[in-house]
Amino acid sequence: MNGMPDLSALSWVHRAEILLVVGALVLLAFAPRLDRSRLAPMLIGLVTAGGAIACGLQTTGAERMGLVVGSVAVVFGLLLLSSAELFDRHQTPEAAALLLIGGIGGVVLVTGQSLLELALGTEMISLVGAALVALGQGQRPLEAGFKYFVLTAVTFATLLFGMGLIFVATGSLAVPALGAVAEGVRPLATVGVALFAIGLAFKLAVFPVHFGALDAYTAGPSSFVGSIMVLSKLGAAAALVKLASGAGEALQFPLMIVGLVTIVFAVLASFAQDDLRRLMAYSAVAHAGFLALGVGSGVAGGTAVAFYVVGYGAAALLAFACLAGTGTGPLPLSSLRPGGSLQLGPARAAGLIVALLSLAGVPPLPGFWTKLAVLKACFGAWGTLATTTAALGGVLGIIYYLRPLPDLLAQAKETKGQGTVDAVVAVGAAVAVVVVLSFLPNLAWDLAR
Amino acid sequence: MTNEILVVVAAAFVFACGAMGVVYRKNPVAVLMSVELMINAAILLLILGSRIHGNAEGQAAGLLVLVLGAAEAVVGLALALAVFRSRSRVDVDEPKEIAG
Amino acid sequence: MTTMLSQVLPWAWLFPLPFLVLSALGIPRKAGALSFVGPLAIFVAALGFLLGDRATQKVVFDGWIPFLPDPAFRLTADGLAAVMLAVVGGVATCVFVYAIAYMKDDERAHRFFAFLDLFVATMSLLVVAGNLTVLLAGWTGVGIASFLLISFWWTKTLPDGTTPLQAGFLALGANAVGDAALLVACVLLPRGGGALDTLAQSAPRAPGGVLTVGLCLVIAAAAKSAQGPLWFWLPSAMAGPTPVSALIHAATMVAAGVYLLVRTAPLLEASPEVLTVITVVGLSTALLGGMASLWQTNFKRGIAYSTASQLGWMFVAVGVGAPFAAFFHLVTHASFKAMMFLSAGTVIHAAHHEEDIRKVGGLAGTLKGAHAFFLIGLLALIGTPFVTSGGISKEAILAAAHHHTSQPWVFWALLAGVFVTGAYGGRLYFGIFHGKKGEASAHAHGDHLAAFDLPLLPLAAGALGLGYLEGGTGLLHGLLGNTVKPGLAVHVVPDGMGWLAFGIAVAGVLFGRFLAGLPQKGLPVPGGEGGSSVVAEVRILPEGLAALHGGRVGRYLFLTMLGAAVVAGLSLRPPSGELPRRVGRAPAKASASADKADKADRNQRGKGGASSGERRPGGRPGVPAGLQDALRNRLRQNNNGQPRPGGAAPAPAPAPPPSAPAATP
């Protein structure tokens, strides 16, 4: 009986997870003392997330990618903490703790090997997402958080049911290899895998399980939405890649179809939007379609998906960092609806333009390289028709990404509440990441492999 | 195997009932209860699997899932309370400010 | 000196960037006025290259994008690129200088110049691109710059009730189709393909071969050049300021499609089908575009249709195997069409932003300069021999079509096109500058005309003299070197066919004069007077989809469960052999072994004397159904990349150990 656990036997992933849990617990335990301070919750969170990044750099492969990208997403949320539109200003420690827990969820989804771990990670991100969205100011975030919660609960139950079916068929909670499952119970396992994938697809926000995420990203506080979005997509994509590599075509085919439908749907539906926040939410759905398409494209798709998450994550974090502090109400574009109220100031408007162009896939921004990678993988797996559909859908999306441009270019020089120092750091860092990845996409590709 | 198939069918039935409840009930608490029903169907399957394959993994997983469901219910009830505190009608379809 | 200029030519696209930054920041306020230095530098560098030894300059950074067929960043400056850059730089310089006067009163002028700088930079990148990836960067970039400039006055409402923003979206959408085609071309090329100079070698190895790659390129080119079914955005793009119309939507960007076809002509010529597609698309646009121009009441749109029609001529030239003639006409057309647009801009400016042909007229006396320039442009457009460049280059296309005996109808259709060209040209000219003064031109002011007229002088010189770049001298052949397949010798003195064409054109002009005298009604053409109203029409579908999100969570839940059921159903569908290819790497191996098994099976059957010639629909040819299933199973198992338990025998079912269930009390 050794009293002290042997720390050296722990993997770096586990150390990072423990670190994040401890950070979250400290924040929650001392919340009543920390809530007057503007900096303390953020700093505690940053130290913890920084530690997690450091742990991540010790690892390799998917673990490295998951830890680094997940922790970076948490860091951005923390940096924007002070400009978040909270229902109660004193809830920053709780929000910081939730972000850290969300980070654990993402990491668990990326590194987890058994279905139970994946379920746990999904649930962590779901609850954190719903709570963070609902922490926002006013009725809209509450409504969005509630809807997100109800829908996530249902898809999570579906996921659990799928897990149960798989367990009945295989007798193990490991990610099933459908080919090795006996003929008689294979349909059971196949349906199980599909239902499990539905739960993960909700995190990815693909059609038709995008409703919750769409509303959450529309009405949640922008400071957190970027982080939640990136963590969800990172975790869900990684988990789906694992699931699909075991399930083969039985899952890859539906994912390809769902991905294409999502891309086309999101592009078309977003043409009718005149609210910038809603546009960004639809953009998240469209990109989920590309991720699903990548997951559905076999082995080559796996790397492409990881690459896509990095490139997309950078641009999405930048976009929401620029929107942080603009309230939780709609942001109608005056070029489309008279009386629009977009007030960002030129600096943040410029940052948002860079983010939008990257999301639109304009070369040489990272969004372009990642889209190419997924299309390449899709072409290798599914041929010309699927690739052409995806390419057309993806490229037509440029129309709605450029819709806010006239408004953004018309931003007046001086606006009040330009944002705090931390928010400026967040925007600057995100711009730097996007620009570096534009010209050296190799860096992201190496991280993704 | 017939007994096992029956249990699977029963679990599917419970799950379907939960799904129907989720779709057709308008009271948030009823919706949450329906979700619990769906989760219970999953637990049923886990226990069944444990029985078929003779390992305890499924039972452990079932317990964990039970806890997850409880945690979810806590968050859900808190959210429902916050949303419907200021509304006269308690109907999940009622808040529809975010649309389009 | 010239060697230095040649060495910087691949980087010429960087020249406008400093001015882009200055103009964007608006420091100093009038920074935009300096912007012409960027294109001027490009022009000088291109001239330096052309006057030097014209050795191809290549820039290659390898290993840039590891996963693409061509992972490198490639720039190539050769004779073709240099001539194109000279055209871009030259026309852009004139337009920039013109715009200083044209945009004098606009308080967002500095931003206008920033967008123009962005355009010139991306256009130059497009021209010097050495592979598809870089080409795509420039290709998308010019599309965005075009969008920004079309919708520059986004707060105003056009006479037909649409807005410049809608016109911009329309252009963006049409261009996006072309971008998608290039994206597909990018991913479907085999490993090592993608460099533009070796495209003809790599494309045949792509799935679908030359035909697929060629069609991708043709779609991209048609989108950029407003050809065939993708013509609709160009007329509504006239919502932008007139210098934009002259530079982007007449001289350079819309010519990028033709440039791409000329650049990839060796590949396109490997597929007669692709060439026929190009010819048909170009010919239909040349004729229909010209006829549509006859009905335009907005004279800018009239010129826009003329541009589409002229680009159609260039497409036809590529289609009949004469890319050289196409490029020659591109060069001359850039000068005279930009000049026509700019002189139309002078009219618009003088007539207080009136663009309706019914409200202007009789301006020949007031705007002497604009009148002269427009007349030169008209003469070049209809192909006046000896004195105008258009006459010589158009004759080169006609000669090529005449020479192309396998499709004689092309030549006769082009002759009809000559008549149409004359008619719309004459109608515009007589409508604007002669006849009775309209309500708007009655008060036309003729001040500051020098600032408007001076920048047009170089263009006029080009419109008159550029024909001798090739005609009689063969200079252009020399400049292009071996980058473009040499065409027929171009004559200055027209032969009988040339005189016939010119006679037809003059008849057309007279007919146009007759048309200009008629009351102008304006006929609804597809897309409407404001083609941008299409945008409003296509909103129905998006709004329907958005209506799905009514806010009621019950419906969301229903759709979610429905989706779950559908996905579960999709996952259960039997894996089919009809899919184009198997997923992942392991399956590739699997299908290889499957093919082997297939072959072995066929051999066996062959020995057995059974004929397996007929193909059964949906299945592998000549494989019995039982074996097909066996193959499928093997594929599915290999899909997981895991060894099959128990070799060929089916996996042992995880049947309950006999004791386990019973033992539990």
Side-chain angles (χ1 to χ4, degrees), chain B residues 23-42:
Chain B
V23 172
Y24 289 111
R25 296 305 298 266
K26 296 299 168 204
N27 188 306
V29 179
V31 170
L32 284 178
M33 283 167 65
S34 304
V35 170
E36 290 302 317
L37 214 53
M38 294 166 83
I39 292 179
N40 284 348

Side-chain angles (χ1 to χ4, degrees), chain A residues 78-162:
Chain A
L78 290 166
L79 282 175
L80 298 169
L81 203 57
S82 55
S83 43
E85 312 80 354
L86 291 178
F87 183 72
D88 177 353
R89 255 185 332 107
H90 297 310
Q91 277 171 338
T92 45
E94 285 88 343
L98 282 173
L99 278 170
L100 292 179
I101 296 173
I104 305 169
V107 172
V108 167
L109 274 177
V110 176
T111 59
Q113 292 305 328
S114 88
L115 294 178
L116 205 55
E117 275 178 279
L118 299 185
L120 194 67
T122 313
E123 182 69 345
M124 278 168 106
I125 295 195
S126 296
L127 293 185
V128 163
L132 277 178
V133 167
L135 278 184
Q137 227 166 43
Q139 283 295 315
R140 275 167 63 91
L142 213 50
E143 175 188 336
F146 177 69
K147 284 181 183 171
Y148 183 80
F149 172 80
V150 171
L151 289 159
T152 201
V154 171
T155 49
F156 182 62
T158 313
L159 177 148
L160 289 177
F161 191 73

